[in-house]
């Protein structure tokens, strides 16, 4: 950079000397012209200027300007604009070829692998607290007792309605059964009369021929016998239709009864939910309730964390959203050991320029880690590969990775050059086109 400054100084010095020379030359020409008399002493005759004298000044000025323009074009550096800086104000790095490790550093936090939230399902007033925040709990262990008068009255009313409807179903079922038994009893009576009349007709048929029984009496027996035969057919048809309808109605009644029983169970369970219990075993956290506090329906009152298994949650810059996928690995060091993780879940929603991922341990978990602890991960985005590399620097934010300043071989100047850059990590940026190993860049 110092040589570039010397070169500019020499150029300005040469231009200044040429300008002084032209001014001196023009001054002498003007003195010579003024010293020549315009009028002779002996006559009033005008002395006209020659053609050379008329065009002398334009020729001299034009020649000088042309000469200066040529010098400027010769000494002007390529690119037009020039910025002179000292060597110690820039960092010059060499373009190299080496192994590019495609990873990014990520700050993450330790979180329980499994978290179950506690909500006041029905809401109510806190009557009694059985345990404190931070304690270990077992599944089904009571945590807090709530009271809700409105819910209790509603449940009692529902129980009464369900009981009444169940009684109605039982009455309907009894009526259907009584109807079935009535048809059965009618058939028994009809069959008895048909059997009785048939036997009596068989006994009196010979007596009618002998004249011992009147023909009118015998015909009356036959008419009665035929009546019961016809009545039996109608009764059998009615019984079949009623039985078919009764089966369908009974099936529907059973379904309704089961639904009413389930409704009653739900109503009773709503009452049981006023006694909040631990859904799983673990450590109770964020449990901040006080006696007398009113909780709205569905309000969160705490959570139960898995005390022995952990995961890691990380927020990653949205720039890498397309390159992060489930199954990618990461590692971090703590307590003298190195631990491996893999991405198990990606939350694609971008918030404040970042998106969240969950990572789980692939092998053993480090001992002594706690919820909320911060760790530094190296997230592997791809396999290592041999590439042309330049050191990562602040220039990337200024140029967008589209161009860099390449230093000339003699180190006296640097020129802007368009490049095509690829992946980058904390240390290096991958060069796809525009630079060769051995070149130096700012």
């Amino acid at each position: 950079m110092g040589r570039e400054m010397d070169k500019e100084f020499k150029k300005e010095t040469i231009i200044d000397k040429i300008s002084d020379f032209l001014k001196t030359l023009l001054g002498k020409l003007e003195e010579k012209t003024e010293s020549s008399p315009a009028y002779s002493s002996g006559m009033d005759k005008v002395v006209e200027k020659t053609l050379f004298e008329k065009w002398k000044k334009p020729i001299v000025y034009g020649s000088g300007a042309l000469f200066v323009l040529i010098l400027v074009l010769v000494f002007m550096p390529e690119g037009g604009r020039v910025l002179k800086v000292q060597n110690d104000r820039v960092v010059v790095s060499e373009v190299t070829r080496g192994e590019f490790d495609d990873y990014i550093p990520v700050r993450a936090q330790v979180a329980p692998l499994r978290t179950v939230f506690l909500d006041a399902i029905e809401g109510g007033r806190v009557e009694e607290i059985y345990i404190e925040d931070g304690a270990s709990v077992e599944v089904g262990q009571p945590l807090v007792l709530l009271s809700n008068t409105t819910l209790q009255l509603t449940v009692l009313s529902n129980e009464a309605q369900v009981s009444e409807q169940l009684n109605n179903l039982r009455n309907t079922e009894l009526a259907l059964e009584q109807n079935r038994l009535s048809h059965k009893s009618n058939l028994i009576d009809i069959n008895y009369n048909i059997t009785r009349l048939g036997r009596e007709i068989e006994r009196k048929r010979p007596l009618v021929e002998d004249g011992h029984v009147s023909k009118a009496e015998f015909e009356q027996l036959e008419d009665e016998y035929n009546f019961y035969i016809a009545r039996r057919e109608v009764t059998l048809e009615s019984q079949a239709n009623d039985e078919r309808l009764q089966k369908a109605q009974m099936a529907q009644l059973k379904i309704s009864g089961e639904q009413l029983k389930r409704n009653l169970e739900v109503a009773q369970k709503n009452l049981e939910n006023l006694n909040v219990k631990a859904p799983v075993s673990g450590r109770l956290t964020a449990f901040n309730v006080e006696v007398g506090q009113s909780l709205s329906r569905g309000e969160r009152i705490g959570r139960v964390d898995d005390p022995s298994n952990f995961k890691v949650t990380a927020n990653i810059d949205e720039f890498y959203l397309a390159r992060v996928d489930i199954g990618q690995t990461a590692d971090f060091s703590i307590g003298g050991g190195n631990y491996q993780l893999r991405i198990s879940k990606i939350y694609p929603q971008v918030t404040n320029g970042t998106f969240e991922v969950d990572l789980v341990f692939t092998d053993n978990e480090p001992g002594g880690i706690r919820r909320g602890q911060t760790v530094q991960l190296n997230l592997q985005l791809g396999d290592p590969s041999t590439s042309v590399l330049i050191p990562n620097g602040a220039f990337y934010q200024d140029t967008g990775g589209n161009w860099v300043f390449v230093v000339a071989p003699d180190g006296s100047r640097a020129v802007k050059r368009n490049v095509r850059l690829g992946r980058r990590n904390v240390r290096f940026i991958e060069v796809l086109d525009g630079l060769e190993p051995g070149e130096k860049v700012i």
Side-chain angles (χ1 to χ4, degrees), residues 189-257:
D189 184 63
I190 291 172
N191 288 331
Y192 166 75
N193 287 320
I194 291 175
T195 302
R196 179 180 60 80
L197 292 172
R199 289 175 181 175
E200 189 172 356
I201 290 173
E202 292 298 327
R203 286 196 303 269
K204 291 183 177 182
R205 189 183 302 276
L207 297 176
V208 172
E209 295 176 355
D210 295 339
H212 297 289
V213 176
S214 66
K215 189 174 182 181
E217 182 182 355
F218 183 78
E219 289 177 350
Q220 184 177 0
L221 289 175
E222 287 183 336
D223 291 340
E224 189 175 358
Y225 176 81
N226 293 331
F227 166 76
Y228 279 109
I229 291 293
R231 184 178 176 185
R232 184 176 65 177
E233 292 179 358
V234 173
T235 303
L236 287 173
E237 183 179 357
S238 176
Q239 184 184 26
N241 291 333
D242 288 348
E243 186 175 1
R244 185 177 68 255
L245 295 175
Q246 286 175 4
K247 286 182 179 180
Q249 190 172 4
M250 287 297 296
Q252 185 64 37
L253 288 175
K254 288 181 179 180
I255 294 175
S256 299

Side-chain angles (χ1 to χ4, degrees), residues 31 49 67 76 121 127 211 264 267 270 337 379 398 410:
E31 290 177 0
K49 294 183 179 181
F67 185 65
M76 180 180 292
I121 299 177
E127 297 293 339
L264 183 58
N270 288 337
L379 178 60
D398 297 331
D410 59 0

